[in-house]
Amino acid sequence: MSELLAGTAQPLETVASMGVSPFRASWRRFSRNKLAVGSMIILTLITLLCLAGPLFYPFDPEDADFDNIAAPIDLFSLHPFGTDEFGRDLLARVLTGGQVSLAVGFVGALAAVFIGVVYGATAGYIGGRLDNFLMRTVDVLYGIPYFFLVVLINLLVGRTIMGLFVSIVVVLWLTPAVIARGQALSLRHREFVDAARAGGMTEWQIIRQHIVPNSLNVVIVYSSLLVLEVIITESFLSFLGLGIQPPASSWGSLIDTGARAIETDLRLLLLPGGFLAATLFCLNFIADGLRDAFDPNER
Amino acid sequence: MLAFSIRRIIGAIPTLFVLIAISFFVMRLAPGGPFSANRKLTEAIIANLNKAYHLDEPVWMQFGRYLWGLLHFDFGPSMKYRDFSVTELIVHGFPVSLEVGFWAMILATVVGIALGIAGALRRNGATDFSAGAIAMIGIAIPTFVIGPLLQIFFGLKLGWLPVAGWDGSLNAKILPIVVLALPNIAYISRLTRGSMIETLRTNYVRTARAKGIGARRVIWKQALTGAMLPVVAYLGPATAITVTGSVIVEQIFGIPGIGRYFVEGAANRDYPLVMGVTILYGGIVILANIVTDVARGIIDPKVSYE
Amino acid sequence: MGTLFARGLGAVLLSAVILATATVATPASAEMVINRGFGSSPDTLDPHLNFGAREGWIQDDMYEGLVASDAKAEIGPGAAEKWEVSDDGLTWTFHLRDGLKWSNGDPLVAQDFVNGVIRQLDPKTASPRAYYYYSTVKVAGAAEFNEAEGGDPKSVGISAPDEKTVVIKLLAPQPNMLYLMGSYHIPPLHTPSFEKVGGDFIKPENIVNNGPYMMKENVPQSHVTLVKNPNYWDAANVKADKVVYHVTEDDQTELKRFKAGELHVTNEVPSDQLEQLKKEYGEQLRITTYVEAQYLSFNITKAPFDDIRVRKALAYAIDRDVLQNKILKAGYQPNCGYSPPNDPRYPQPHVEECDMPKEERIAKAKALLQEAGFGPDKPLKVTIDSTTDNTAKRQAEGVALMWKQIGVDAKVNAQEFQAWMDTFYNGGWEVLNDNLVADMPGPESHVVYMQPSAESGYNWKNDDYEAAMEKASQQSDIAERYKYLAEAEKILLDYYLTVPLNVTTSRHLVSPKLKGWEDNMLDVHPSKYMWIEG
């Protein structure tokens, strides 16, 4: 196997020219992937619906209509998708809940991936004592049980959106860091990196221009899953009573409420659950599309 | 490699110590104490309780006392579950969490890798799409939804499996293992697919194919081995997390594991319980990371052990 | 790698085969077993440490007090067959039955009961329930003995003049004495095993107890198994051989386990599914008024809640009927007084808004808010602190939504129990989603609880209230006692320190196979009276 590996050196020109036209090429490849583009369109629509929908919708998600409690789905009535157990319009709640879930999901995952990749690539590429120190720190953070951290953050920061955000990012950057380090470790001995070093690039430039971009395909697959994971984690926190506080809602908290009514009023689960599942499916296909498009070997 | 492993294990001791120290002091930053469950507690009673658990001493002294206990393998008494010591709680609960988590990871690895390979070989085809969809179900439906659904279907409608509980029978273990495996299947299959596609395209596999080595052998030996790196990197930590118990799966299926203690211990400021499960968890995670690094070295000799 | 992988694959295939061939093999047995749902894992089963009502069920099965509850929670003879009380109501004398034995055959004597009380009060035991013998049952000398180490046990007003007599001396009369002595509150101590293993006497391998059942297994987060005690004096009338209390952390799972026949009775029934379950299960669903009242409390040390107009406005805005019957639907009764109205002899006072029509209430609420300086330009902001308990959280949410309708910006902050408690004691709260469970039927537990001397967290001190309570505590005649208690409760309600919301229910699903279960207000269900048929 090792003699085969020896043949993997890539032409230096290709790597060095990365970041100029390849991006456009990747984008072109991505736009040829119908599934990915379709997912992108649906996800954009869902996002727009969640952001703009409540502006045009007559009901406030936090206003109760005590005369219409637990109204069923009736598309031609005042509340087309019915109301919840307090008489709040379900559609309005699902849309504003989506704002919270999507915001936490995207911002949380981006923050986690950014921190993780830079951290991991640095550790893996530079290696030695710094790697040792950085990864021992990760080990320590990994060693702290997640829910213990969440309960502590809840107690110390309080149950605000900020607290929720911190609870989610605090450990999620660790896995991207480990993955990025793994990629960096296997990349650092590749010939093109040696060549770049010989060519006089500084360590930081190499990390930025070679290690990070070459770790990217694995990271993109992982980070698109991370958006899902953040959204899912948020729902677990809701299930354990550690999530967003009422009367605000998120898809997670709505699904938790719906899961309790699984045998009595399925509608409460299906509406937020449907939005969540659709979003997660879209994210998955987009991730696959991105991965295929940004694969350096196809250039 | 053996020397490397030993060096890593010795190197892990300070890590564990730092972890113990951080957890010990951070836990005490949280407001409130362990004994406010009963609203009628008078100051005299709280004083009695604090004295009994040495909480009236300075924190440094408590830390020293705790470390001294640890050296004697004594994790101290639980303040929430007063009939048990922390050691007893872990001895009762950990084997259960370990069993469920272990089989869940085995199931997830096999199914996840199979789905991932299927997807990679038939890229963007119907196989890929359905493999992706199957994997996505594991992640798109939260465990606290899929768990009750399976309970209703297999426990109530069909009556094949018990709804919940832990009586040692195999039947009681099936649903929790499957539910715990589902999200991991999704991750593993996505990672496998991603890195497999990449490896299939690398020059060495192309070269191998060009040299006329049979397609099947290429896939199984070269491509799969190369594709395993990110999967192994994921498996290490994921296994550590899974075998130490999932609070949600354990709650839904009434499994007497240790998952609950992570939440319960912190929520009730049961300091010794939190410390006990943290040390256990931290130790396993650190061990899993060492095993992961060794495994990566076996798979890819280019990873050096410096 | 290849071989490693292959080996892993082999292991999985093997386990898949095992899983697939697993069959439902439960050996038939003639043993009568009662399977009871229990809720969260018990905190402690140590009879002198526990103050939890659910743990009390197991304790009722393992330990018998001087007096004991029957299936209907009525108090009757337990280890004592008769008793008398002195004319001033201060001295109680209990006479034990003949031939009582511990589960290991040792004779059970009066001193064992005295030792139980002494152990609970001993500062070294650090029992969170030690207050019981000086705050609820005012035993002479108990407080002093508990507050400092090294006290003389003889200074406590409980003694055993001979092997069959227990004498208790009180500081004030207590007409409800038997309720307080009953149930799991005064268990004896098997002194030899305590001296040998200390607190570990509660472990299944050490335990020696005197009730109808003995502990066989105690597996944390899983179950507690009790088996019949052959040395119990009434063992001939104990029908079930075994009682298993299953830990059911999740109420939805517990419900499914009941439906699947894995449990004979549940600890809880999800409050949001009662209507549906009533249709499906009819008589099996038992909803019984419980001795718990839920209410909101105001932090009167924090502006603007020091202003009675604000407190009143918020109280007026609540529609108790909609909250209980349309939103919660948990079978709770709307309550207009502070204490639960469960004793017809008690003339309970009511808050005034209870009798007002809706429009008047809302109009007055808005007017009061405006008077206090709040309006559309300057909305009142309120946070309700609640526990994460599902029903409690929903109630707080319902209240917040009602307040929103009079222009108040209301939020709910749901925290787990311990943090909620801390918030309360730290004084950082504004409005607390509050509750109290009584030790006995009647208003007394509740009204006593609001005495500042018993509870400092509310920072409320009112001389008239204290005076009325002091008078009440001196009465051994129940009608006279109730008169003063009602006087005190009226003062409390008029102050709007609290807003009464409801009286809760206990909810169980009881299988038709389980016989001898009786619904009762105290939610006490000794297994001794139950059996399985069919």
Side-chain angles (χ1 to χ4, degrees):
Chain A
M1 183 167 136
S2 43
E3 65 264 46
L4 287 174
L5 260 179
T8 57
Q10 298 186 354
L12 188 61
E13 306 80 40
T14 316
V15 179
S17 61
M18 194 178 286
V20 196
S21 65
F23 182 80
R24 210 169 290 161
S26 300
W27 183 249
R28 212 174 303 132
R29 265 198 303 279
F30 181 80
S31 53
R32 277 202 299 270
N33 185 333
K34 283 183 200 127
L35 197 55
V37 173
S39 297
M40 190 77 116
I41 292 169
I42 294 174
L43 186 61
T44 312
L45 283 179
I46 291 177
T47 312
L48 281 178
L49 194 62
C50 289
L51 290 178
L55 299 178
F56 302 104
Y57 198 61
F59 297 104
D60 182 317
E62 293 178 17
D63 265 342
D65 178 355
F66 293 125
D67 299 321
N68 275 311
I69 286 175
I73 293 183
D74 178 355
L75 294 179
F76 302 104
S77 71
L78 200 57
H79 302 283
F81 286 91
T83 58
D84 69 0
E85 78 232 74
F86 298 96
R88 294 177 295 202
D89 188 88
L90 196 59
L91 186 61
R93 289 190 62 71
V94 170
L95 294 181
T96 44
Q99 292 176 3
V100 172
S101 288
L102 289 171
V104 170
F106 279 99
V107 181
L110 265 178
V113 166
F114 179 76
I115 299 171
V117 169
V118 171
Y119 193 98
T122 308
Y125 176 72
I126 294 189
R129 216 175 270 171
L130 182 72
D131 178 33
N132 208 35
F133 173 76
L134 290 179
M135 293 329 277
R136 288 305 76 76
T137 311
V138 167
D139 284 349
V140 168
L141 287 173
Y142 254 133
I144 302 177
Y146 181 55
F147 287 114
F148 164 51
L149 268 184
V150 172
V151 173
L152 271 182
I153 291 168
N154 262 315
L155 289 168
L156 297 172
V157 182
R159 284 218 184 138
T160 53
I161 292 237
M162 195 58 206
L164 187 64
F165 185 74
V166 174
S167 311
I168 280 171
V169 175
V170 70
V171 293
L172 280 184
W173 67 273
L174 296 175
T175 304
V178 171
I179 291 178
R181 172 179 175 269
Q183 287 296 107
L185 267 183
S186 58
L187 287 172
R188 61 188 282 213
H189 293 293
R190 294 262 180 108
E191 287 71 4
F192 67 88
V193 174
D194 290 337
R197 203 178 288 125
M201 285 175 95
T202 65
E203 302 286 88
W204 177 238
Q205 279 172 324
I206 295 175
I207 291 175
R208 225 177 45 203
Q209 295 187 19
H210 293 300
I211 306 295
V212 170
N214 278 291
S215 311
L216 216 56
N217 44 357
V218 172
V219 167
I220 282 179
V221 177
Y222 184 78
S223 62
S224 62
L225 289 172
L226 202 64
V227 178
L228 319 188
E229 190 173 341
V230 172
I231 295 178
I232 287 280
T233 303
E234 192 276 325
S235 74
F236 287 159
L237 295 180
S238 290
F239 173 78
L240 292 171
L242 299 167
I244 195 159
Q245 288 294 348
S249 61
S250 67
W251 284 341
S253 70
L254 292 168
I255 289 172
D256 175 42
T257 312
R260 294 188 59 84
I262 213 166
E263 288 178 277
T264 49
D265 193 351
L266 207 53
R267 172 185 63 102
L268 292 177
L269 175 62
L270 288 183
L271 195 58
F275 268 91
L276 181 84
T279 303
L280 298 188
F281 267 86
C282 289
L283 281 167
N284 178 58
F285 294 128
I286 293 170
D288 285 352
L290 285 175
R291 204 215 64 81
D292 294 346
F294 283 83
D295 190 331
N297 292 303
E298 231 166 71
R299 281 185 203 111
Chain B
M1 191 172 67
L2 185 70
F4 168 77
S5 311
I6 292 171
R7 208 155 8 103
R8 282 293 303 270
I9 288 170
I10 292 171
I13 293 172
T15 312
L16 199 57
F17 179 79
V18 171
L19 175 69
I20 293 171
I22 289 180
S23 309
F24 190 91
F25 292 104
V26 167
M27 188 68 228
R28 277 163 171 76
L29 279 183
F35 305 118
S36 39
N38 188 339
R39 307 186 57 178
K40 291 179 181 172
L41 288 191
T42 61
E43 273 170 32
I45 290 177
I46 292 183
N48 288 339
L49 281 162
N50 282 339
K51 199 165 173 204
Y53 289 98
H54 304 289
L55 294 176
D56 52 345
E57 294 172 353
V59 179
W60 278 107
M61 226 160 121
Q62 294 179 38
F63 187 55
R65 188 184 287 282
Y66 187 76
L67 290 181
W68 184 245
L70 275 188
L71 288 178
H72 300 81
F73 296 102
D74 176 9
F75 287 94
S78 168
M79 296 174 181
K80 157 102 174 142
Y81 304 103
R82 285 187 70 173
D83 300 345
F84 298 98
S85 69
V86 172
T87 311
E88 286 170 322
L89 291 175
I90 291 177
V91 166
H92 273 294
F94 181 52
V96 178
S97 295
L98 183 65
E99 189 181 347
V100 178
F102 176 76
W103 288 111
M105 283 316 287
I106 296 283
L107 184 66
T109 310
V110 172
V111 178
I113 290 178
L115 287 179
I117 293 173
L121 295 183
R122 304 265 182 280
R123 251 176 94 194
N124 295 330
T127 319
D128 188 19
F129 182 79
S130 34
I134 293 171
M136 280 308 292
I137 287 171
I139 193 173
I141 309 179
T143 41
F144 63 84
V145 174
I146 202 139
L149 281 175
L150 293 179
Q151 284 176 325
I152 291 171
F153 191 68
F154 289 102
L156 295 178
K157 294 270 182 320
L158 297 176
W160 289 354
L161 299 169
V163 167
W166 189 258
D167 52 8
S169 73
L170 273 166
N171 282 341
K173 296 169 188 169
I174 295 174
L175 288 183
I177 288 173
V178 169
V179 170
L180 199 51
L182 282 175
N184 286 306
I185 290 176
Y187 286 108
I188 293 170
S189 73
R190 293 340 279 164
L191 281 173
T192 308
R193 180 186 178 276
S195 58
M196 183 89 180
I197 288 173
E198 187 197 352
T199 329
L200 280 175
R201 285 219 209 87
T202 51
N203 295 338
Y204 72 87
V205 174
R206 285 186 190 161
T207 313
R209 276 184 161 163
K211 280 185 187 163
I213 300 174
R216 185 170 295 176
R217 252 191 80 197
V218 172
I219 291 160
W220 285 105
K221 185 128 175 117
Q222 318 293 5
L224 188 61
T225 316
M228 279 303 98
L229 273 181
V231 177
V232 168
Y234 170 80
L235 273 182
T239 306
I241 290 168
T242 309
V243 300
T244 46
S246 149
V247 55
I248 292 169
V249 170
E250 289 183 3
Q251 176 170 328
I252 288 173
F253 290 100
I255 296 167
I258 54 169
R260 179 115 223 113
Y261 298 143
F262 293 98
V263 175
E264 211 66 43
N268 292 292
R269 319 289 188 283
D270 188 339
Y271 305 129
L273 182 57
V274 166
M275 292 306 297
V277 290
T278 301
I279 292 171
L280 175 75
Y281 178 88
I284 289 175
V285 167
I286 291 171
L287 200 68
N289 282 341
I290 296 174
V291 172
T292 306
D293 282 358
V294 172
R296 292 158 53 83
I298 296 172
I299 296 170
D300 182 1
K302 285 262 164 185
V303 178
S304 64
Y305 297 123
E306 48 198 77
Chain C
M1 172 62 201
T3 51
L4 240 176
F5 184 70
R7 219 178 294 155
L9 195 69
V12 171
L13 287 176
L14 186 71
S15 73
V17 171
I18 295 171
L19 288 177
T21 53
T23 48
V24 197
T26 33
S29 72
E31 209 178 37
M32 187 194 287
V33 184
I34 302 178
N35 290 304
R36 299 180 63 166
F38 187 71
S40 300
S41 205
D43 283 355
T44 175
L45 296 176
D46 185 321
H48 308 113
L49 297 182
N50 166 48
F51 53 81
R54 288 180 307 118
E55 286 85 348
W57 295 342
I58 299 181
Q59 248 173 264
D60 279 342
D61 290 348
M62 293 202 303
Y63 286 91
E64 187 174 54
L66 292 167
V67 289
S69 303
D70 65 11
K72 293 179 176 161
E74 274 158 19
I75 299 292
E81 57 182 347
K82 57 185 192 303
W83 52 86
E84 63 272 346
V85 56
S86 64
D87 291 341
D88 59 3
L90 295 179
T91 307
W92 289 74
T93 310
F94 294 88
H95 303 281
L96 302 192
R97 294 172 192 278
D98 284 326
L100 287 177
K101 279 182 190 161
W102 287 97
S103 54
N104 66 349
D106 286 358
L108 172 68
V109 295
Q111 187 62 37
D112 295 331
F113 282 92
V114 176
N115 291 349
V117 172
I118 296 298
R119 173 169 184 248
Q120 184 162 328
L121 284 169
D122 191 333
K124 283 210 277 295
T125 308
S127 170
R129 206 182 64 184
Y131 70 88
Y132 198 78
Y133 295 122
Y134 48 88
S135 149
T136 312
V137 186
K138 295 190 171 64
V139 175
E144 293 79 0
F145 182 73
N146 180 238
E147 274 159 18
E149 257 181 55
D152 180 6
K154 293 208 167 57
S155 65
V156 181
I158 178 166
S159 59
D162 61 58
E163 289 209 336
K164 289 185 58 192
T165 313
V166 178
V167 179
I168 301 177
K169 287 200 159 55
L170 301 182
L171 294 173
Q174 176 49 273
N176 287 305
M177 178 73 170
L178 290 181
Y179 267 112
L180 299 175
M181 298 297 291
S183 191
Y184 60 93
H185 291 121
I186 177 164
L189 175 70
H190 184 252
T191 316
S193 43
F194 177 64
E195 278 170 356
K196 202 168 132 213
V197 293
D200 281 346
F201 77 84
I202 194 64
K203 294 206 184 298
E205 61 270 25
N206 299 329
I207 194 159
V208 176
N209 58 318
N210 75 324
Y213 289 92
M214 306 184 287
M215 190 200 289
K216 189 171 161 235
E217 271 187 301
N218 181 7
V219 183
Q221 310 293 332
S222 177
H223 62 272
V224 175
T225 304
L226 306 179
V227 292
K228 202 171 153 175
N229 172 8
N231 281 315
Y232 178 60
W233 63 269
D234 200 17
N237 289 317
V238 178
K239 298 193 181 76
D241 303 296
K242 209 191 232 183
V243 182
V244 186
Y245 287 91
H246 297 270
V247 171
T248 49
E249 184 68 47
D250 191 276
D251 58 355
Q252 304 285 338
T253 300
E254 187 186 38
L255 174 62
K256 292 190 196 85
R257 293 190 73 178
F258 177 83
K259 288 181 175 176
E262 293 167 26
L263 298 174
H264 291 116
V265 57
T266 65
N267 160 58
E268 181 57 274
V269 178
S271 66
D272 41 8
Q273 293 168 31
L274 293 183
E275 285 180 357
Q276 172 94 4
L277 290 170
K278 209 176 277 170
K279 270 184 234 148
E280 266 176 72
Y281 286 90
E283 290 290 287
Q284 296 179 45
L285 178 64
R286 311 292 184 91
I287 303 176
T288 318
T289 303
Y290 188 48
V291 287
E292 178 190 24
Q294 296 188 330
Y295 48 93
L296 301 170
S297 301
F298 289 111
N299 187 348
I300 50 169
T301 61
K302 211 169 179 182
F305 306 100
D306 53 348
D307 185 341
I308 191 165
R309 289 171 303 192
V310 171
R311 302 201 296 269
K312 253 188 171 171
L314 293 174
Y316 280 16
I318 295 171
D319 189 328
R320 290 179 176 75
D321 179 54
V322 168
L323 188 60
Q324 304 307 328
N325 300 327
K326 288 197 170 156
I327 295 177
L328 282 188
K329 293 186 279 197
Y332 295 177
Q333 293 166 17
N335 189 14
C336 294
Y338 175 66
S339 63
N342 53 30
D343 190 337
R345 295 172 296 178
Y346 180 63
Q348 196 189 35
H350 282 180
V351 286
E352 56 195 21
E353 71 268 22
C354 253
D355 307 318
M356 286 180 204
K358 187 183 172 195
E359 291 70 26
E360 188 188 343
R361 260 194 311 107
I362 300 294
K364 279 197 172 165
K366 285 182 176 161
L368 279 165
L369 265 190
Q370 205 161 19
E371 261 179 64
F374 295 99
D377 315 329
K378 191 194 165 204
L380 172 63
K381 286 196 167 106
V382 186
T383 302
I384 308 174
D385 278 297
S386 166
T387 62
T388 46
D389 170 76
N390 187 46
T391 317
K393 202 166 69 183
R394 278 168 56 218
Q395 172 149 285
E397 249 187 293
V399 169
L401 291 170
M402 288 177 177
W403 286 352
K404 240 186 146 214
Q405 296 195 330
I406 60 161
V408 174
D409 183 1
K411 284 205 163 47
V412 177
N413 179 32
Q415 313 175 72
E416 39 83 16
F417 189 83
Q418 212 83 358
W420 175 77
M421 258 331 358
D422 295 335
T423 310
F424 174 68
Y425 283 116
N426 294 339
W429 53 288
E430 295 176 341
V431 177
L432 196 71
N433 193 22
D434 212 346
N435 73 317
L436 186 69
V437 181
D439 297 306
M440 56 199 170
E444 188 157 338
S445 295
H446 281 78
V447 194
V448 166
Y449 177 70
M450 274 298 163
Q451 268 188 290
S453 53
E455 178 61 45
S456 55
Y458 297 98
N459 295 304
W460 185 61
K461 192 158 170 54
N462 183 296
D463 293 337
D464 297 336
Y465 190 81
E466 290 298 300
M469 292 303 291
E470 178 58 28
K471 270 190 216 144
S473 76
Q474 298 306 321
Q475 312 300 321
S476 51
D477 176 67
I478 200 89
E480 280 297 297
R481 205 174 170 95
Y482 277 179
K483 199 180 89 190
Y484 291 112
L485 290 177
E487 199 176 287
E489 184 168 348
K490 177 91 174 86
I491 294 167
L492 176 68
L493 291 178
D494 287 347
Y495 194 84
Y496 283 89
L497 176 65
T498 63
V499 184
L501 294 176
N502 65 39
V503 177
T504 67
T505 48
S506 62
R507 304 176 296 264
H508 304 280
L509 276 160
V510 182
S511 158
K513 288 182 187 165
L514 181 70
K515 309 291 178 191
W517 175 279
E518 299 277 355
D519 299 330
N520 62 67
M521 194 194 295
L522 289 169
D523 200 22
V524 169
H525 307 283
S527 304
K528 177 184 169 181
Y529 300 99
M530 299 177 200
W531 70 97
I532 303 289
E533 248 176 53

